[in-house]
Amino acid sequence: MKKVDSHVLASWLDNTLQAARFKDYCPNGMQVEGRSEVGHIITGVTASEALLRTAVERGADAVLVHHGWMWRNEDRRVIGTRRTRMALALKNDLNLYAYHLPLDAHPTLGNNAQLARVLGLTPARRDDGSPQTCGQDNLVWLGDATGVQTLGELGARVAERLGRQPLVVGDPDQPVSRVAWCTGGAQGMLADAVDAGVSAYITGEVSESTVHLARETGVGFIAAGHHATERYGAQALGQAVAEHFGIKVEFVDLDNPA
């Protein structure tokens, strides 16, 4: 089996995702150092106990995820579920690589880019070919929903392609032209999307205040699920790793209704 040095892999991931340019809520990159060589990676959305156990059962050397560990303002004690997860990784010599905002933002492998592909959204482009964006760290993408005329049609497309019924706030018959999207828990960026002049905004989660803002501005709002909107970046990144290094990479989709 072909293998790559674990730190060479970390460096390639860091450089590919430009991890150093983000001020994030967690450390990006290698979060746990395991065995020195990696020939088999399990990718997923979150480094949960279930994903780690799957990696151990399948004989993987590393886990690569969007949601890792050591989040800002968390209890830093190694107790409870944190102890269980860390013990699993350390006992089985697993490397853990995690990329949060860098994986959201990447122009081709990222969650926003991949959600656009899945939902048939066409990103608006700047003169240099980069996506037009707004919001914190330019995380909200702007573009058009090709082939969609109304908010109801957009909600139906999201349901069909993501395999879950989204929450749709707004008149189903209201016209949809320019749209914005940001995967995961980006409901707080609805105001940025409103300021950008869109007619609809797609993200993963919803807050109580989000509904009022959507209704009062007339911008259609779709909460399509945090997990559901962020399944695709990890898959794309894993495929890129497999192609670049020639190693085995498997994506594991553990159901999460949130």
Side-chain angles (χ1 to χ4, degrees):
M1 177 188 293
K2 192 169 183 178
K3 295 188 176 184
V4 58
D5 181 276
S6 61
H7 289 277
V8 170
L9 174 58
S11 179
W12 184 87
L13 288 166
D14 288 348
N15 291 333
T16 298
L17 297 176
Q18 300 180 30
R21 77 180 181 88
F22 293 90
K23 293 182 179 180
D24 212 336
Y25 311 99
C26 60
N28 289 299
M30 179 187 280
Q31 292 192 338
V32 176
E33 182 178 10
R35 61 198 65 164
S36 61
E37 292 187 316
V38 175
H40 183 189
I41 300 174
I42 293 295
T43 66
V45 176
T46 299
S48 64
E49 179 184 344
L51 187 69
L52 293 170
R53 291 196 182 281
T54 300
V56 172
E57 291 167 2
R58 298 190 185 184
D61 306 302
V63 172
L64 172 61
V65 295
H66 178 48
H67 300 138
W69 301 340
M70 295 167 281
W71 296 89
R72 185 188 305 164
N73 298 325
E74 272 190 337
D75 184 345
R76 297 183 181 181
R77 294 176 297 168
V78 184
I79 60 176
T81 57
R82 172 176 283 185
R83 180 190 182 280
T84 301
R85 292 177 180 184
M86 285 190 171
L88 266 173
L90 294 172
K91 178 181 178 181
N92 293 282
D93 214 13
L94 283 174
N95 292 279
L96 172 62
Y97 305 94
Y99 294 89
H100 184 230
L101 296 183
L103 187 56
D104 286 323
H106 193 275
T108 57
L109 303 175
N111 286 321
N112 283 335
Q114 291 298 313
L115 184 65
R117 176 186 60 81
V118 172
L119 295 183
L121 306 175
T122 303
R125 299 287 178 181
R126 299 189 176 97
D127 291 340
D128 64 0
S130 62
Q132 289 185 14
T133 56
C134 66
Q136 176 193 340
D137 289 316
N138 292 308
L139 289 172
V140 177
W141 284 37
L142 304 169
D144 301 298
T146 308
V148 167
Q149 303 296 321
T150 67
L151 181 62
E153 290 177 8
L154 182 58
R157 178 182 290 187
V158 170
E160 184 225 339
R161 299 195 182 183
L162 297 189
R164 58 166 290 159
Q165 192 64 40
L167 170 69
V168 180
V169 179
D171 182 353
D173 294 325
Q174 71 185 67
V176 166
S177 53
R178 187 169 172 81
V179 299
W181 63 95
C182 186
T183 66
Q187 65 270 38
M189 296 189 197
L190 172 59
D192 298 296
V194 171
D195 290 344
V198 304
S199 52
Y201 178 57
I202 304 169
T203 187
E205 297 187 17
V206 65
S207 297
E208 193 270 349
S209 60
T210 312
V211 175
H212 298 297
L213 182 59
R215 287 173 175 169
E216 291 168 15
T217 59
V219 171
F221 177 81
I222 297 178
H226 196 134
H227 178 87
T229 57
E230 295 195 326
R231 287 181 295 207
Y232 307 102
Q235 292 182 60
L237 181 60
Q239 183 177 349
V241 169
E243 292 173 354
H244 185 81
F245 291 105
I247 61 177
K248 182 179 180 180
V249 180
E250 297 180 87
F251 176 76
V252 176
D253 187 18
L254 299 175
D255 180 61
N256 188 327

